[in-house]
Amino acid sequence: MCGIFGCILQKNEASSTIHSGLKMLEYRGYDSVGIATIENGQLTIKKDSGKIDEVHEAHDLDDLPGRLGIGHTRWATHGAPYQVNAHPHTDCKNEIAVVHNGIIENFAELKTELEEFGHKFRSKTDTEIIAHLIEEYVKKGFIFVDAVRETVKRLDGSYAIAVIYTKEPDKIVCVRKESPLVLGIAEDGLYVASDIPAFLSKTNKSVIIEDGELIILSDLGIEIRNISNWQPVIREPETIDWEPEMAEKQGYSHFMLKEIHEQPLRLRNTLRLQDKYLELMTTFLDRAGEVFLVACGTSYHACLAASYLFSKLSFLATHPVIASEFVEQHGKSVNIDSTLLVVSQSGETADTLEAVESARLRAATVLGLTNVVGSTLTRVARVYICQQSGPEIGVAATKTFTCQLSVLAQLAVRLAKKRGKISHVEIEDIEEKLERIPDIVECTIKGQEENVKAIAKKYKGKPAFFFLGRGISSSVALEGKLKLMEISYIPSLAYPAGESKHGPISLIEPGFPVVFVCPQGDTHRSIIGNIMEMKARGASIIAIIEKGDQEIKELADDYVEVDSGLPELLTPIPFSVPLQLFAYYMALERDNDPDKPRNLAKSVTVK
Ligand code: AGP
């Protein structure tokens, strides 16, 4: 889950360009960083452990010579985040430099083989074997490009790599297998990166690279080859309708806060998605024998909420499944009548793609909901919808969650309409309510941000939290818990409130904070019962309530009002926003960086 970046420019500005490109990829990994450039046949490398700003402070990452280079920001998988394990990695003679995102599964046996040929390894990483393997093929007389080709044929696992070589100092050779890789074409040069925001300030002209392709970037332009048959691949650039500032903080102190405030705008985008894809996806869902809603983390919470929407609105039973358990839980029962609705903001999450692959092998239909055009999910799905939330840089998903919920709710309403399960009056009413959600979220942020900030301050010393909800709100409780744990590192539990008395309530003691998600609707009466049982044991009650909910106001120690007027099934969108803000301000209270939580990365591209 690292970020790789490379460029070949007209001017000698490669290192500063790579530095700023890596800054835009820092959400993918930030425990060490490095840059390599070539000039006058010499390789210059600067790398160290730590965040980019810290390494730049110590080593000046803008001060490497040359107009061609590669860089890397790391999320350690093999070898602890020490300087020696930071990328780029080189061969024995420091002529070949490699940056890599992914995991080489057979690196140990390749390393033994290379050590028998006399290669000396400096690091504990899987990546370093790539540099030595290329060196070995060059020694055998292969030209640079062919040496890279022969090398990747020996690699098992996932990889996006970029390689430079002092003996052929006018090109960057890149290869993609499973890990994301995109090219950028600009006036001042050519770019390769793990993600589009890295070169968005230079160009929005992007060429998506497919698995099993090798790319040569040089002053002659871009050459793409299919590694297995070595056939040239001609692919037109796509224009990405993202503005550079969309990938910047725009005056907010963190990307996460900016992205929370972006939600009204992005939610309006989800209400203007192309009808034909929504309709096509609805048709596939209508015809499906059985439907699995598959995802990880926050996206799984959107799937869980969707299972209530599909059941209660469209009378469609679905199976929400955590992707990393899909193969074990359903792998054997999936068949040609099965349909997977797969949700992934990045479209690159390895656990999710593995579930997809296992289902496709059994002829199941795969539908995709993602935020990244050109991501792997968009290429393996029969039909996909791009939710138009703009780039999400903060590791903690916020705007992509609420936008996923909006799209999934629209699909459930369309399916209900197609199946004639609810009256036209009800459909019009729900559609009218969906249209109002962006404004409701806007008012909630404006009206409650300071209140939530104060509540976070009040509870900052608490050692643990519970998040409870009933019905569809149990998915919001799970999301609130995940947000808090991700960025404030406070151990927390979330579960359907009815489960308390079956165990978790034993943890409750005076002052133990319990966050309740309690919109008006079918579950309101029973959630009050759950609040009472917690209050009876001295818990501190923090409640997310509908505006004017006097009953719960009197029970709660603190509350956040959402003026929604929405049916319960649509409340997860506005009711999750105060929990996003709560986690954000709690992280600040604990001096954590909300954008770069420890041990995490934005797109989990390894299994
Ligand atoms: C959420 O804040 C986390 N970043 C993480 O749980 C994330 O939702 C999960 O890794 C799934 O990512 P995806 O939506 O890109 O597949």
Side-chain angles (χ1 to χ4, degrees), residues 296-299 344-347 349 395-397 404 482-483 486 602 604:
C296 298
T298 289
S299 296
S344 171
Q345 85 84 21
S346 62
T349 299
V395 169
Q404 285 165 348
L482 178 60
K483 291 281 96 66
E486 269 189 280
K602 183 68 186 168
V604 186

Side-chain angles (χ1 to χ4, degrees), residues 35-39 42-46 63-65 164:
I35 294 178
T37 61
I38 292 179
E39 187 171 70
Q42 283 304 309
L43 192 62
T44 307
I45 293 184
K46 288 187 179 179
D63 181 25
L64 289 86
I164 55 177

Side-chain angles (χ1 to χ4, degrees), residues 1 295-301 343-350 352 369-370 372 377 392 394-398 400 404 479 482-483 486-487 597 600-604:
M1 296 171 287
C296 298
T298 289
S299 296
Y300 168 72
H301 298 150
V343 179
S344 171
Q345 85 84 21
S346 62
E348 299 292 355
T349 299
T352 303
L369 172 56
T370 184
V372 180
L377 180 56
E392 187 172 65
V395 169
T398 53
T400 54
Q404 285 165 348
E479 180 56 13
L482 178 60
K483 291 281 96 66
E486 269 189 280
I487 61 175
L600 287 178
K602 183 68 186 168
S603 169
V604 186

Side-chain angles (χ1 to χ4, degrees), residues 109-259:
E109 67 240 39
L110 290 169
K111 189 172 182 176
T112 313
E113 179 191 318
L114 288 160
E115 282 171 336
E116 279 154 17
F117 291 149
H119 289 262
K120 295 275 177 288
F121 285 80
R122 304 176 189 86
S123 77
K124 294 265 180 295
T125 67
D126 53 341
T127 302
E128 190 182 349
I129 60 109
I130 302 173
H132 291 275
L133 210 44
I134 296 169
E135 177 185 17
E136 199 53 35
Y137 282 108
V138 167
K139 249 194 258 169
K140 291 195 178 100
F142 287 83
I143 62 163
F144 177 31
V145 172
D146 295 346
V148 175
R149 183 186 181 202
E150 293 311 311
T151 293
V152 292
K153 286 182 185 166
R154 303 283 313 278
L155 306 180
D156 296 341
S158 62
Y159 48 83
I161 61 174
V163 192
I164 55 177
Y165 178 33
T166 55
K167 297 281 187 291
E168 296 191 33
D170 61 344
K171 58 174 67 75
I172 302 176
V173 177
C174 316
V175 179
R176 174 200 177 140
K177 179 173 173 281
E178 291 182 19
S179 296
L181 201 64
V182 286
L183 304 181
I185 303 173
E187 298 298 312
D188 69 349
L190 298 173
Y191 300 87
V192 58
S194 298
D195 206 347
I196 292 162
F199 51 66
L200 202 52
S201 61
K202 304 287 183 183
T203 177
N204 65 348
K205 290 246 168 314
S206 170
V207 177
I208 309 296
I209 302 303
E210 310 252 1
D211 280 359
E213 290 180 345
L214 180 146
I215 304 99
I216 306 159
L217 295 183
S218 71
D219 292 335
L220 304 174
I222 294 173
E223 185 184 340
I224 307 176
R225 294 254 174 193
N226 175 299
I227 290 170
S228 53
N229 61 25
W230 207 233
Q231 287 305 302
V233 176
I234 308 302
R235 187 167 300 131
E236 288 309 308
E238 292 187 36
T239 302
I240 306 294
D241 60 0
W242 286 351
E243 304 305 322
E245 54 281 355
M246 287 165 85
E248 282 141 21
K249 286 189 194 134
Q250 295 176 335
Y252 289 93
S253 34
H254 295 97
F255 281 109
M256 183 178 178
L257 189 62
K258 176 206 155 202
E259 286 151 8

